[in-house]
Amino acid sequence: MLKLKNVSKFYYSKGVIASGFNKVSIEFKIGEFVAIVGESGSGKSTLLNVISGLDSYEEGEMYINGEETSHYRESDFEEYRKKYVSNIFQNFNLVNSYTVYQNVELVMLLNGYKRKEVKRKVLELIDKVGLKKYRNTKVSKLSGGQKQRVAIARALAKDTPIIVCDEPTGNLDSKSAKDVIKLLKDISKDKLVIVVTHNFSEIEDIATRVVKMHDGKIVSDKEVIPTEKVENENIKESKSIGLFNMIRLGIRNTFNIIPKFVLIFVVFLFITVSLLSVYASLQKDEYEEGKLGINYYFNDMRDTRIVIKKKDGSAISNDDFNNLRMIKNVANIVENDIVLDSPLWFESLDDNPFNLYGTLVDVSLFEGKLDYGRMPEADNEVIILVEPYDYYFTDKVEEALTKTYYYQADKGAMSIKVVGVKYLDEGMFSFSFGTENKIYVSSSLIDKYMKDINREHSKVTVNLNNKNYESYNAMGDSHDIRVSPRVPKGRAYVSEGISFECYDYNCKNRKLSIIVDNLYYSDKVDLTISEVYNEKNIESLLWINKSDNRFGSIFINPEDYNRLFNKDSYQASVIADNVDNVDAVSDELEQLGYSTLQIRKTLDNAAGDALKVLKIMKLVVIIVLVITLFFISYFVIKLILKSRNVYFSTLRILGANFRHLKRILDIELFTNASLAYITYIGLILLTKYKVINVKMINNIIGYLKIQDYILMYIILVVMSYLISTRFASKIFKQSAMKSYREEV
Ligand code: ADP
Ligand code: MG
């Protein structure tokens, strides 16, 4: 059955070679009960380990059933151990965190028994070794004698022709020792039992053969009871653990040591939380960066805003607006959308003038509560949204509300009164090129202001005596245009100050044209200069004072002015209810015959290069983070799993092969990682649906998409697989016995 010819075993450790045993030749048969005796250090354990295929040998030949084994690889010895050998050790070699039942069951699962037969047989064997009462007790709670009986039950469960026992009673009291020896005798029929002992007397009556070792050599070998030759014993077909049982063991191992489970769970939770948080904060930066895109054209840079014009260039009619309001996912429509991008300034015209600055918004869109004052009642009453450190509307708010404010400090222009104030939240601040100040006015007032806004956005040219002069919208400038009802339609009154521009220094009766050009339209009015004013006649002509700041401007009739600037709406803005719907709304608008401009895209483009750099940086950050997290987790988990070395070498001693053990470890880490992931996703869902309120989670959920969560899970699974692989390759590199010895 087993034959050794001049076999030697050496130990190499730290450059020193020690001999385990030297040139040993011996043969064993089935049916024998062999006692190996000899003083400590004589090589008995080493011999047993080599015979069991747990350790390698360096010299000579070993035959198993006549087959030479020098070409055997680790996997061949795994196969050999599985089919032929059960071991019983002095220190029991059980899985302490398993119950008695689980320990015995383990070896059967690893050897591919079906679950049904396992249960019956395990219970039967536990009964046989007298531990029925303890079957659900963890073996760490048992006495030495009980533990050794579990080991014997386990050896029986494996049902191999060879049982190798290394000092099975070495740690037992004499009563327990007797029981164990008796059990060994009971099971020894039709098997080869090899027992190492330094207390020969306990097996004197049973042993059929006594081998004595000394200093690594066999010094005597006597058959004391002749044994009949039992040959051709039934060697069972070797089977392996199935996937289902691997999953069962993996899941059992996940939870069997609670502190270990909790620590690994925390590591995976930490990976999940930190990766998702960092990723979300990078997403947030990118988003903010996008919003901050340099955009010189639009003051209102809401990412939900879509600017539209009709493709045919015509004005947008009331019917058009009604149709636009029917589109799905539209929050509101700003008809004169140019007001969004045209902050206006107003000033009170008194001895202590106050300033007011902001974009006009239809008062019906005002949300929230006023911090001061009341809502508007009359057409010229407004409420304002200003920064909380605005000097005029915080410290002096009482006085500010008594004043009348004139557009551009122009007494002839429209005026408003402020009746209520709301302050911007701290949270509403964001670095932006525009202002967030708002002036809420009635829609009719917005219509009236459109002409001022159109003028702000237009290039205005005055043509006089065939020469063009740019008209600055600055009061008193010599080509600045102002209105006065005193000027008849089709006429203009100019200041004496521009007489040199006219032929012969005489401007009266000359032609004067005003040309308006902007993004939406061009128009022109032709006027005749009917009066030239100076300090003396200004009061009788225009009814204004010579010290008025409009002195010097060109005055025209309001109707002519309106013809130039009071136009229909050519451009409007559609505000989507959600950024995610902007594309859908745009498509719909395009189909209805509008050309669209998504504000968020103008921002992206403007900051394009910065965003590209940011994206690359993001990728680098994520990769570095994943690698760092991998190593941190690997080392932490390695420390935690360190005690698992014993478990895995025990499994190898029991006949499990590398692939199966690796799979069981994979499943253990995978289960733990998935639980950590599910826990975090659970917290996210609870936060999302407002069952709980975790600030950290609240901050990130808006920036994560479903694919990010899926990717996160994949990363986690891959990481747990890599950690398992790295760990497994470390502990399985050595022979089963070596890794076992190192850890015990
Ligand atoms: P026994 O079991 O008879 O007490 P061993 O087989 O344990 O003896 O040891 C035989 C010899 O091998 C001893 O000289 C011992 O020092 C040496 N030896 C055993 N194990 C190792 C080891 N892991 N590394 C180095 N030398 C060892
Ligand atoms: Mg020994």
Side-chain angles (χ1 to χ4, degrees), residues 548-649:
D548 193 289
N549 51 11
R550 286 170 284 178
F551 189 91
S553 300
I554 298 168
F555 287 84
I556 66 173
N557 182 275
E559 261 185 65
D560 291 326
Y561 189 86
N562 284 349
R563 240 188 80 196
L564 284 172
F565 297 110
N566 208 4
K567 293 287 185 181
D568 290 337
S569 203
Y570 285 86
Q571 175 187 296
S573 275
V574 175
I575 314 292
D577 56 1
N578 189 311
V579 194
D580 295 335
N581 294 330
V582 169
D583 278 329
V585 173
S586 289
D587 288 349
E588 181 82 33
L589 289 165
E590 292 278 346
Q591 280 181 6
L592 289 174
Y594 296 91
S595 45
T596 62
L597 175 70
Q598 299 183 14
I599 292 295
R600 57 175 188 154
K601 285 197 178 152
T602 71
L603 303 168
D604 272 0
N605 291 342
D609 283 344
L611 280 185
K612 255 178 236 156
V613 172
L614 201 76
K615 273 190 179 128
I616 293 169
M617 278 182 42
K618 185 164 83 174
L619 199 66
V620 171
V621 168
I622 294 285
I623 290 173
V624 168
L625 186 75
V626 168
I627 294 175
T628 314
L629 282 176
F630 171 77
F631 279 105
I632 293 174
S633 340
Y634 169 67
F635 285 113
V636 174
I637 291 180
K638 193 176 116 172
L639 276 181
I640 300 167
L641 285 184
K642 191 117 206 232
S643 63
R644 311 289 288 157
N645 278 359
V646 175
Y647 173 80
F648 286 111
S649 5

Side-chain angles (χ1 to χ4, degrees), residues 300-306 332 334 340 575 599-600 603:
D300 184 322
M301 294 189 259
R302 262 179 293 177
D303 51 11
T304 47
R305 178 178 172 196
I306 306 163
N332 68 291
V334 184
L340 296 176
I575 314 292
I599 292 295
R600 57 175 188 154
L603 303 168

Side-chain angles (χ1 to χ4, degrees), residues 519-533:
L519 275 168
Y520 318 108
Y521 65 87
S522 301
D523 208 349
K524 178 179 166 194
V525 289
D526 296 317
L527 306 168
T528 307
I529 299 173
S530 59
E531 295 291 347
V532 177
Y533 68 83

Side-chain angles (χ1 to χ4, degrees), residues 319-499:
D319 281 351
D320 291 332
F321 280 119
N322 287 336
N323 288 336
L324 288 174
R325 274 181 249 281
M326 309 289 277
I327 299 175
K328 234 174 53 183
N329 299 322
V330 170
N332 68 291
I333 290 173
V334 184
E335 292 190 15
N336 297 310
D337 88 327
I338 198 163
V339 301
L340 296 176
D341 302 313
S342 312
L344 306 179
W345 74 270
F346 295 79
E347 195 176 297
S348 70
L349 292 171
D350 51 22
D351 297 341
N352 181 17
F354 280 21
N355 279 307
L356 175 56
Y357 181 74
T359 47
L360 298 188
V361 181
D362 193 316
V363 71
S364 65
L365 295 176
F366 179 76
E367 283 176 354
K369 261 180 65 189
L370 286 175
D371 294 309
Y372 193 90
R374 58 166 175 85
M375 294 298 285
E377 280 156 12
D379 227 22
N380 69 333
E381 289 183 342
V382 305
I383 51 179
I384 57 169
L385 180 68
V386 290
E387 281 147 358
Y389 48 76
D390 185 295
Y391 173 73
Y392 300 116
F393 292 96
T394 46
D395 294 4
K396 304 249 172 178
V397 63
E398 241 167 278
E399 191 183 343
L401 263 54
T402 64
K403 296 188 182 242
T404 301
Y405 297 83
Y406 295 86
Y407 173 60
Q408 287 193 333
D410 177 358
K411 226 179 201 138
M414 303 285 297
S415 63
I416 53 175
K417 283 184 89 79
V418 179
V419 296
V421 181
K422 181 174 167 60
Y423 301 112
L424 283 156
D425 284 349
E426 295 291 336
M428 285 163 76
F429 289 122
S430 69
F431 175 63
S432 125
F433 290 92
T435 179
E436 307 218 14
N437 283 8
K438 302 214 180 320
I439 303 170
Y440 291 93
V441 301
S442 64
S443 57
S444 61
L445 207 74
I446 290 190
D447 287 342
K448 286 177 192 154
Y449 271 99
M450 273 310 290
K451 59 176 183 283
D452 296 322
I453 294 164
N454 277 335
R455 179 170 171 183
E456 283 281 289
H457 283 264
S458 304
K459 181 173 187 280
V460 180
T461 313
V462 172
N463 183 285
L464 182 58
N465 199 20
N466 288 327
K467 281 213 178 89
N468 282 332
Y469 302 91
E470 183 154 358
S471 165
Y472 297 103
N473 189 9
M475 244 177 286
D477 185 80
S478 52
H479 301 100
D480 174 48
I481 313 285
R482 293 291 142 188
V483 286
S484 169
R486 298 280 303 147
V487 180
K489 210 176 152 210
R491 304 272 186 262
Y493 290 8
V494 304
S495 147
E496 215 174 53
I498 61 167
S499 293

Side-chain angles (χ1 to χ4, degrees), residues 39-46 90 166-167 196:
E39 73 276 21
S40 180
S42 56
K44 308 182 294 292
S45 298
T46 311
Q90 181 174 353
D166 193 351
E167 313 229 14
V196 160

Side-chain angles (χ1 to χ4, degrees), residues 82-93:
K82 181 184 264 186
K83 269 192 188 165
Y84 289 94
V85 192
S86 302
N87 291 82
I88 292 170
F89 296 90
Q90 181 174 353
N91 50 18
F92 322 119
N93 237 340

